[in-house]
Amino acid sequence: MKLQGLNSRGSVEQVMKEVKAQAGRNATPGKQSGLTAEIQSRIGHQLRAMYDDVVRQGVPDRFVELIRKLDVPKPDPQLGATGDPEKDGGS
């Protein structure tokens, strides 16, 4: 089996058909079949090819800003504005 043209949708579908056909040929009646190392490798190559562009794009600025906002600790209402119970009139 060749690993050419992995980033096109048509080849992904073709590879999956081949994987299913190979699994069907290798299946033993009454025995649960697993994925061979070759099939796992092909699936890994397919996934990397499909998601490579997404990984290279990075995190959009709006998501970075949301993450920054979530990372800022919110004041605990039980501790008051400073976070120090003695300064905020606590006990």
Side-chain angles (χ1 to χ4, degrees):
M1 288 189 235
K2 295 181 181 179
L3 296 176
Q4 296 175 352
L6 295 178
N7 56 356
S8 69
R9 187 63 154 155
S11 68
V12 171
E13 292 170 356
Q14 181 61 34
V15 168
M16 292 311 294
K17 286 178 185 176
E18 291 174 12
V19 167
K20 288 178 183 178
Q22 181 180 358
R25 288 190 301 267
N26 294 341
T28 304
K31 183 178 178 186
Q32 186 177 10
S33 63
L35 298 177
T36 66
E38 179 184 0
I39 293 172
Q40 290 178 9
S41 176
R42 288 179 59 94
I43 291 172
H45 284 284
Q46 288 291 119
L47 289 171
R48 279 189 286 282
M50 289 173 59
Y51 292 104
D52 194 37
D53 289 337
V54 175
V55 171
R56 277 192 244 131
Q57 288 176 5
V59 178
D61 292 338
R62 66 178 190 239
F63 291 154
V64 171
E65 185 59 33
L66 286 171
I67 292 169
R68 281 191 192 124
K69 288 179 181 178
L70 290 171
D71 284 341
V72 173
K74 293 183 179 180
D76 188 342
Q78 293 179 348
L79 295 177
T82 66
D84 186 345
E86 292 187 19
K87 289 182 181 177
D88 292 329
S91 44

